[in-house]
Amino acid sequence: MQRVIVLILLLSWCGISHAGADFSSLDHLRPRTSPSTQAATVQDLAKRKLGTHADFFEIHVKTDFAPANKDRFMLQNGDNKLIITGSSGVAAAWGLHYYLQHYHGAHFSWAGDQVQWRGNIPVPDGGVTVTSNDKFRYYQNVCTVSYSSVWWKWERWEREIDWMALSGINLPLAFTGAEAIWQRVYLKMGLTQAELDAYFGGAAFLAWARMGNIRGWGGPLPQAWHTQQVALQHKILDRMRSFGIIPVLPAFAGYIPKGVLRIFPNASFSRSSSWGGFPNKTWCCPYLLDPDEPLFQKIGASFMSEYIKEFGTDHIYNADLFNEMTPPKANLSYLASVGKAMFNTLKAGDPQAIWVMQSWLFIDSFWNASRVKAYLSEVPLGKLILLDLFAEQKPQYQRFESYFGHLFIWCMLHNFGGTIGLFGSSENVNMGPFLARSFPNSTMIGTGITMEGINQNDVMYEFMNGHIARKQPIDLTTWFQDYAVRRYGQANPYIATAWSLLQKTVYNCTSKLENHGKYIIVRRPSKHLQPIVWYSTSDLFTAWDNFVRASSSLASSDLFRYDLVDVTRQVLQLIAVNYYSDVMHSFHSKNLTALKQNSVKFLNLFTDMDILLGTDKHFLLGNWLEAAKSWATTDDEAKLYEYNARNQITLWGPTGGLRDYACKQWAGMMEMFYKERWSLFLNTLIYDLQKNVSFNQSQFDKDVFNQVEVPFTFDRTIFPTITKGDSIEQAARIHTKYRIETRSQFLNRLKEFSSTRTKYSWTMDRQEGPFQTKIDRKWKGGSFEDNRINIML
């Protein structure tokens, strides 16, 4: 690592960084509101976060304050005041955050804030000036709105925009209400409402309907939804713009309702390829206009005209084609014509348009260098910004020579589906942006966070956002320990050790793992599930010990309680792998007594996990469901929204093609969904062993689909939105009960097996005894001197 840091510094000193970037085409992308409005908005933010202490700050915005294509803030002492001057409202808010973090130990995150006002502390004489590394700090994946913010009301959006500004984010997606504009456009064209109902996705599935992956699933969208979302979008855009944030707006990507072909029967089109296991004739494969079809530009320009009339514009738009789908043609001329049509459509609607696209599609093997180059070739350099979406694991700028001269933003994706699990690639994130800036002829213009879902792993996002002004990679151990002090408001030796261990384990995945959070406990049961572990489990268990030891000192911190629950949850889902192992061995060895005993242990773990998660408001299924229903104006709408909410986090579609992609380890889910699935599985194993018949996975899949999964999506049981029990007491109880289980050699060797991607083989070689079971676990593709593992029953 030290060699890489030295190389980065040498390249930077030699002036290689940003050598190929031309920013002049982006000069018109700037805040729309006046400096005084931006300053007043930051002052209001300070009041929301600090109350009367906000009076200590005097905020100024000077647009000529920073170097070209950078942001800057300055902190200066005034007359019993702290004067914050920023090059934009966002820069001033970033400066406020910097002061609160460095002088008051403050912390702001999705899980909550920690601010202890220590008095009117001055900065050093001469002040403090900090300048950003890049022009942009980007935020959101196109999926984030569906996995996380779909049910938010204004109060939650206000808090999120505050967090964006404090974090220095100046380029977020803003797609709320897009379907209402599309409805106007298509109805004017002569389509019927029924045709639109068959096209728009349901509220929880809008992201994928917009990208042409699906059509109609989860719908129809009620008219009240359109009205509500337009009103909400006005508030979102007004607040973003008042901070000086530049929102990225939606645009047309060529996908159309079938009804367009009724009106224009001679239009040339293709069908999208099948996606996500959706049935071909019902919910998938939308119609895609050919790039040389005149309707492509006509419809796209009509949408932009209607959208700008309603919401105004900031001249930057997102549109993604071929998201996880293969283009209908592979020839280079076709791919070039698609890129050309997309940009020309934007330009027809807004001559100053800048196109933003996710480069996620390029990860697919279809996209070799020649095809990518062709696809981008007809878009003028400087008019397209590519989001290198998963750069911490699979950067694409290296494969495509800085995207052949087009601008790009280095992004940390990190999360898929909004799943819950401790995970991060801290070393990769620490180094990655510097390597990208130092890449020969680099066209990097920013950093971004592009998680599919939020409300998890706060630490990774605070760390990534720190790249706004970081000049070189930093010492990770020190940073993680300092993070804990800010988060909890005080230092603690146990917590310092715990976070050091977490950084080295769960937050240091250096492989190219796409961690979709499909831990065994939340997957549909089968006999062949594989554990996913990239870290030393024994170190994680030691970190857990230290969290429990710190409980008495940090009990007053809600954020500590949240993290204690989260770490305990992570340990329990690991212990579940051990219990699953015991179940499978007892089944294969035809030991009915052991199978019943191990099944009881396994199911009891779900109950304990549910009780634990129920002690913290961030882990309640009820909050997700009640937020969905809160948008309803009728009972039918409430049923529809609740179905959307339940289906997304379970079956994800009509037949479960994306089943468990957005799984959630929440109270309510553990007891009423995951435990029910596993109970059916375990009872089936017991029945098969009693009857001496083979387990039939296909039949079980049908049974669990019809008896558990589908009924849950239609169920209307009301789940709590208020916590029950004490997090610290429950974590201590679980630690006392389960810590002995973590001594298993099997658990402590999981990293060896997972890192080599070897298949797990459940064998029947075992010896039974009254107090312990000796288990032989073998792994396909690998052998070990001692495979015998003792498990206490």
Side-chain angles (χ1 to χ4, degrees), residues 232-306:
L232 179 59
Q233 178 72 337
H234 275 291
K235 291 183 177 181
I236 292 170
L237 292 178
D238 287 349
R239 181 58 58 82
M240 285 182 176
R241 289 165 176 163
S242 70
F243 271 121
I245 291 173
I246 302 169
V248 179
L249 306 174
F252 180 56
Y255 300 102
I256 57 171
K258 184 179 180 180
V260 171
L261 303 177
R262 173 181 58 80
I263 301 170
F264 300 97
N266 297 321
S268 57
F269 67 93
S270 60
R271 295 292 297 275
S272 299
S273 57
S274 180
W275 179 86
F278 273 66
N280 287 340
K281 295 182 179 180
T282 310
W283 309 112
C284 99
C285 312
Y287 299 82
L288 173 63
L289 289 173
D290 288 346
D292 56 357
E293 167 58 53
L295 277 177
F296 198 116
Q297 184 167 312
K298 179 180 178 180
I299 293 175
S302 296
F303 171 77
M304 292 181 69
S305 175
E306 191 72 33

Side-chain angles (χ1 to χ4, degrees), residues 174-187:
F175 276 15
T176 301
E179 284 67 32
I181 307 303
W182 278 118
Q183 181 188 50
R184 298 177 195 174
V185 171
Y186 284 132
L187 290 179

Side-chain angles (χ1 to χ4, degrees), residues 8-36:
I8 291 171
L9 292 174
L10 286 174
L11 291 172
S12 299
W13 291 336
C14 291
I16 292 177
S17 178
H18 289 129
D22 178 9
F23 300 95
S24 59
S25 61
L26 307 179
D27 288 346
H28 63 293
L29 299 183
R30 52 181 177 265
R32 296 181 57 194
T33 50
S34 68
S36 60

Side-chain angles (χ1 to χ4, degrees), residues 414 419-423 456-457 515 519 566 569-570 665:
H414 179 262
T419 54
I420 296 173
L422 303 183
F423 175 76
Q456 40 74 33
N457 293 295
N515 181 25
Y519 304 108
D566 208 16
R569 174 209 52 72
Q570 185 79 10
Q665 295 182 42

